[in-house]
Amino acid sequence: MNPTIILNVDDHAAGRYARGRLLRSAGYIVHDAASGLEALSKIEALSPALVLLDVNMPDISGLEVCRRIKTATARRIAVLQLSASAITTEDRVGGLDNGADGYLIEPVDPEVLLATVRALLRIRKAETDLELANSALAEANTKLTELNLSLTHSNEDLQRFAYLASHDLQEPLKTMSSYATLVQRRYRGKLDTQADEFLTHIQQGAIRMSDLIRGLLGYAEARQQHAAEWKRVNTEDVIAIALDNLERSVAKSRAVVTYGQLPAIRGDELQLTQLFQNIVSNSIKYQRPGEPPRIAINATEDADRLILFSVTDNGIGIAPAHHKQIFAPFRRLHGHEVPGSGIGLATCQRIVEGHGGKIWVESLGEGAGTTFWFSLPGA
Ligand code: ADP
């Protein structure tokens, strides 16, 4: 630890000498100054931790020295003023108002002087530590802001890439798929026995890939939007559009979807349609064999002006161990026997979180049905 430097300022040699000796014996490095101006130049050169300052000096007063120390130096220097007993209360108040950290009146008991010096040095150290911690915090904050910005940029780049890649991949895939269909139509039964089967595999692969690309495109498009772009959305209209898009699978599975009057929400209508569509379509897809899907949509308003929706089905259920995983992109609990890309719920999560809400699932497990919960801003 650096030894503590104290500047001992007094125009009277006797007092200066006595105080210097006392402080040195307590282990401090003591420098003397016999006038205000000398004190100021030594403060500049020595950067003391504490200045012991006699108020009455011939050139400039201790009060003025104190004021200049406090305004001129960026470093924290503790100032302990000393004066004769004849000084008025106003002068003492003036000293403290000018920035002195402590004030003692002569004659001062040596023990009291040392204890006061120690207390002021402790305060100064605490203040310096606090300043250091504050500037480290400010630095960390600046770094965090920079990191955040670069993360936002790379996120946007990734999003652009996912969008372009999935968008541009669709064209060549369409070409491959239509030529496979053409070959199948024109040459069915005319090639060797396995050729028909191979062509069917090509077509099935193309359909799966197209599903994946469409899913990826939906995921990339479900980016966070600014709340300023949101509109009032009638929830029942959005569900009606979603059910219209799912018309064939609803009819085929004989699914019954029920909902009463639902509160309006705020957001991006296309994304919100996609959200309800993905969840209802899963409820249909993951139905219990031989049991038509029963799907109920409900909503309640919670304290933060968010609407909490639930979509409950009577399907195959999801084991609790998988409740978190199913929201990760491309995470599926089923093989190719059930069509899907594993990106539907990841997209739902993106849409909900982009609207400032949360999504989670509840299910007691196999055969117990599933409820998806999600919150969205109310209109
Ligand atoms: P997928 O394309 O596989 O349906 P999702 O992201 O939509 O992808 O869903 C992820 C997985 O979550 C599904 O593979 C399925 O196992 C499970 N899942 C989703 N919804 C339900 C549901 N309503 N009932 C049972 N399982 C579900």
Side-chain angles (χ1 to χ4, degrees):
M1 214 175 86
N2 285 337
T4 308
I5 300 176
I6 292 181
L7 186 65
N8 177 23
V9 189
D10 194 344
D11 59 324
H12 289 111
R16 201 171 61 231
Y17 174 75
R19 264 178 246 125
R21 220 171 58 150
L22 176 71
L23 292 167
R24 279 188 197 97
S25 72
Y28 298 110
I29 296 194
V30 183
H31 291 265
D32 291 334
S35 70
L37 288 174
E38 189 189 350
L40 287 173
S41 77
K42 284 203 167 164
I43 286 165
E44 185 76 26
L46 299 167
S47 267
L50 182 139
V51 178
L52 197 58
L53 193 60
D54 180 35
V55 175
N56 300 306
M57 272 179 303
D59 52 354
I60 49 175
S61 79
L63 295 188
E64 179 58 16
V65 173
C66 181
R67 202 187 56 75
R68 289 204 205 169
I69 294 173
K70 294 291 174 177
T71 50
T73 53
R75 281 191 68 247
R76 296 206 159 269
I77 297 176
V79 177
L80 175 55
Q81 289 195 338
L82 288 168
S83 74
S85 55
I87 196 153
T88 63
T89 305
E90 285 79 27
D91 282 339
R92 290 173 64 186
V93 171
L96 292 166
D97 280 349
N98 268 325
D101 300 285
Y103 207 108
L104 292 174
I105 294 173
E106 299 272 31
V108 181
D109 182 277
E111 288 302 312
V112 172
L113 179 65
L114 283 180
T116 311
V117 165
R118 280 198 299 272
L120 291 185
L121 287 173
R122 268 202 307 276
I123 294 172
R124 174 185 171 271
K125 182 171 178 325
E127 282 176 347
T128 313
D129 288 351
L130 195 69
E131 247 169 39
L132 283 176
N134 262 343
S135 71
L137 204 67
E139 207 175 306
N141 223 348
T142 315
K143 278 207 183 110
L144 206 66
T145 312
E146 283 168 10
L147 267 177
N148 219 347
L149 201 69
S150 87
L151 207 64
T152 309
H153 284 155
S154 36
N155 219 353
E156 283 169 2
D157 287 348
L158 203 66
Q159 197 127 347
R160 220 169 294 134
F161 170 76
Y163 179 82
L164 286 177
S166 42
H167 191 263
D168 293 356
L169 278 173
Q170 262 176 339
E171 262 327 291
L173 188 66
K174 260 191 220 145
T175 314
M176 278 163 57
S177 170
S178 17
Y179 276 100
T181 312
L182 205 67
V183 173
Q184 211 175 23
R185 266 199 222 130
R186 202 174 282 180
Y187 300 102
R188 188 189 295 275
K190 294 183 188 153
L191 301 169
D192 74 40
T193 44
Q194 280 188 317
D196 285 347
E197 189 192 329
F198 290 167
L199 280 169
T200 309
H201 284 319
I202 293 178
Q203 275 205 306
Q204 281 172 349
I207 291 171
R208 252 186 62 65
M209 194 159 166
S210 166
D211 276 353
L212 273 169
I213 290 174
R214 216 171 324 113
L216 196 61
L217 199 59
Y219 183 73
E221 280 173 343
R223 64 191 180 281
Q224 185 160 6
Q225 294 201 339
H226 296 298
E229 294 170 34
W230 295 345
K231 296 199 169 59
R232 182 181 204 279
V233 173
N234 183 321
T235 312
E236 292 150 43
D237 288 352
V238 154
I239 295 175
I241 299 170
L243 292 180
D244 218 37
N245 295 340
L246 295 171
E247 194 189 356
R248 269 171 57 191
S249 57
V250 170
K252 196 169 160 215
S253 64
R254 290 185 291 125
V256 179
V257 184
T258 52
Y259 53 94
Q261 225 181 14
L262 297 170
I265 42 187
R266 272 190 75 72
D268 179 280
E269 189 164 338
L270 268 179
Q271 288 190 13
L272 295 171
T273 309
Q274 186 72 57
L275 168 67
F276 280 99
Q277 190 170 321
N278 285 2
I279 291 183
V280 171
S281 112
N282 276 350
S283 290
I284 296 174
K285 202 156 62 168
Y286 301 106
Q287 69 189 93
R288 266 197 309 229
E291 204 164 325
R294 297 270 175 278
I295 303 161
I297 306 174
N298 285 295
T300 48
E301 207 157 336
D302 85 0
D304 296 330
R305 297 209 61 219
L306 283 173
I307 311 290
L308 183 61
F309 287 94
S310 65
V311 180
T312 303
D313 65 45
N314 60 340
I316 59 170
I318 305 171
H322 297 129
H323 286 184
K324 284 233 161 67
Q325 306 165 10
I326 54 169
F327 292 98
F330 304 116
R331 180 73 206 176
R332 305 198 67 211
L333 303 179
H334 297 86
H336 293 330
E337 75 281 1
V338 188
S341 57
I343 196 130
L345 287 179
T347 306
C348 290
Q349 186 175 46
R350 242 183 161 198
I351 293 173
V352 171
E353 288 180 356
H355 283 80
K358 283 197 170 62
I359 182 166
W360 68 97
V361 68
E362 272 177 14
S363 171
L364 293 176
E366 219 160 291
T370 303
T371 299
F372 279 93
W373 294 92
F374 50 92
S375 47
L376 293 169

